[in-house]
Amino acid sequence: MGLLSELAREYRTLSIVGMAKNAGKTTALNYLIEEAEDEGILIGVTSTGRDGETVDLVTNTEKPRVYLYEDTIVSVPTMLYDLSEAGLEILEMSRYRTSIGELLLCRVASSGYVQIAGPVATKDTKRMCERMFSLGCELILIDGAIDRKSIAAPETSDAIILATGAVLSRDITRVVKETVHIVGLYSLPEVPENDPVRELISENVRNGRITLVKGSEVETLDLATGLGSGRRINEALDEETDAIFLPGALTLGVLADISPEKFRRTRFILRDPTKIFIDDVNWRKLVKRGLSIEVLKNIKVACVTVNPFSPEGYSFDSETLLKEMQKALPDIPVVDVRK
């Protein structure tokens, strides 16, 4: 049984997320598409942006193209429909618009390369996926073509496949550490469903306001983000504060003005791990100082793919990178899709 067959038994939607550009995300996507064909799994393919072009539109470097097999369901904007080398049967015009035209839901009539795109808004991506399921898809792959943080958000899909590799650093140890850091952030503990704190902050989660929990009472700060407000947050965290909910980004700047003793006695709660913008070295320092973070919803990492090659011209020994990553992430499948 192949990797995708195992994943399809547990998940209905999978987002492919790159740690950085050229981490092998599109290669991973093509690998999974080929496995679906081999295993007879009917898939849908969509994106949070545009993908499948031969040249990266940002870096102007060559990139792998997306090859789709017969009967795959795919979302394609009207302006890219005629550029597809695959034969596409239009099933319906969706209600979702992009900067390059309305999205078409198509069935691949003859295999070939396709430039794919999908809705930008998460809620529209979820609706698009539901429509694909109604057309017979057993599993949907969502390509994160714009931003790895937004596509990783837990409401986008059931789990993610994280693509990492040599592009992160010339130091293989650094590549492994950065990947482990992201997996660790994505696996942060969730606030239990029956925890009274979750219910107390629920209204302000919707309103997007910083919220303090003091016993059975809540105090709302007139702040939607902690950026530039570290001192004010520090002043608000008194001895009666049990927890604080931060709806926006969590950065070093937000935490710099908060006293370490308040880290140790206060629960810091975020919506999800994509709100954290702190590197692994500084994260370890903060944890040692007593910082503990919980999230309302974490992110399931179903698999990690490694790419030993960098567009900068250097590479790692494939077997060494694979073994080091597997050793560091023993509970998660790790594969080298280029092999």
Side-chain angles (χ1 to χ4, degrees):
M1 181 181 293
L3 171 65
L4 193 68
S5 293
E6 294 183 15
L7 296 178
R9 295 172 64 180
E10 190 169 353
Y11 310 108
R12 297 179 78 217
T13 55
L14 289 166
S15 296
I16 296 89
V17 178
M19 287 275 293
K21 280 189 173 296
N22 300 305
K25 177 175 59 63
T26 306
T27 302
L29 175 62
N30 278 322
Y31 170 83
L32 295 170
I33 291 169
E34 188 171 348
E35 270 215 354
E37 173 68 10
D38 293 341
E39 299 286 340
I41 301 172
L42 181 58
I43 61 170
V45 180
T46 186
S47 172
T48 57
R50 174 180 178 178
D51 210 349
E53 65 271 18
T54 58
V55 176
D56 191 296
L57 298 179
V58 176
T59 63
N60 200 35
T61 56
E62 289 189 7
K63 59 178 292 187
R65 296 191 292 172
V66 177
Y67 190 92
L68 299 181
Y69 296 91
E70 288 183 19
D71 292 328
T72 301
I73 305 298
V74 61
S75 61
V76 180
T78 51
M79 289 176 62
L80 298 183
Y81 177 81
D82 290 334
L83 299 180
S84 296
E85 296 180 20
L88 297 178
E89 172 195 357
I90 299 175
L91 299 178
E92 61 184 57
M93 176 85 75
S94 79
R95 59 181 178 176
Y96 309 116
R97 293 191 57 82
T98 71
S99 60
I100 44 179
E102 291 181 305
L103 288 172
L104 305 170
L105 272 177
C106 301
R107 187 186 306 276
V108 178
S110 58
S111 304
Y113 292 103
V114 180
Q115 293 194 34
I116 62 176
V120 175
T122 299
K123 65 179 185 301
D124 293 338
T125 299
K126 291 180 70 70
R127 290 170 183 159
M128 172 74 79
C129 289
E130 289 304 320
R131 183 58 185 140
M132 286 181 163
F133 283 125
S134 73
L135 294 171
C137 292
E138 301 169 71
L139 177 72
I140 293 173
L141 302 176
I142 305 170
D143 178 73
I146 295 179
D147 171 72
R148 71 176 177 86
K149 287 288 186 182
S150 63
I151 186 61
E155 62 268 22
T156 304
S157 59
D158 296 333
I160 69 166
I161 293 172
L162 187 65
T164 185
V167 70
L168 269 65
S169 172
R170 292 177 179 269
D171 181 353
I172 194 169
T173 301
R174 171 51 47 195
V175 172
V176 173
K177 283 185 176 180
E178 288 190 21
T179 305
V180 170
H181 172 57
I182 292 297
V183 172
L185 293 184
Y186 286 179
S187 305
L188 283 169
E190 293 182 351
V191 179
E193 288 292 337
N194 61 353
D195 191 324
V197 169
R198 179 183 280 268
E199 184 176 351
L200 287 169
I201 67 175
S202 61
E203 184 64 32
N204 288 304
V205 169
R206 290 190 291 270
N207 295 337
R209 293 294 175 189
I210 292 178
T211 306
L212 306 176
V213 177
K214 301 181 178 184
S216 60
E217 303 295 325
V218 296
E219 178 183 329
T220 303
L221 303 184
D222 188 24
L223 296 170
T225 176
L227 296 176
S229 304
R231 290 184 180 180
R232 185 171 172 189
I233 292 172
N234 185 57
E235 292 171 358
L237 292 173
D238 57 29
E239 293 185 357
E240 297 179 355
T241 307
D242 300 310
I244 179 171
F245 169 69
L246 298 168
L250 183 70
T251 66
L252 284 175
V254 173
L255 299 173
D257 293 318
I258 299 178
S259 302
E261 65 268 18
K262 296 181 180 180
F263 289 161
R264 291 187 285 272
R265 70 173 187 237
T266 309
R267 297 169 65 184
F268 284 72
I269 300 172
L270 306 178
R271 189 186 301 271
D272 65 68
T274 67
K275 307 302 181 185
I276 302 172
F277 296 87
I278 301 173
D279 64 87
D280 64 314
V281 174
N282 283 299
W283 181 260
R284 288 198 300 270
K285 290 179 181 178
L286 287 165
V287 170
K288 285 182 178 179
R289 291 169 64 190
L291 179 67
S292 178
I293 299 291
E294 297 172 70
V295 293
L296 297 180
K297 182 68 175 176
N298 62 19
I299 298 166
K300 175 69 175 178
V301 180
C303 173
V304 171
T305 67
V306 295
N307 177 10
F309 299 96
S310 167
E312 296 296 323
Y314 63 89
S315 64
F316 301 135
D317 176 74
S318 173
E319 201 64 33
T320 300
L321 177 60
L322 187 62
K323 286 182 178 179
E324 290 299 313
M325 198 68 74
Q326 288 173 332
K327 187 194 305 182
L329 297 170
D331 299 324
I332 299 174
V334 180
V335 297
D336 179 351
V337 294
R338 292 182 68 99
K339 292 184 64 177

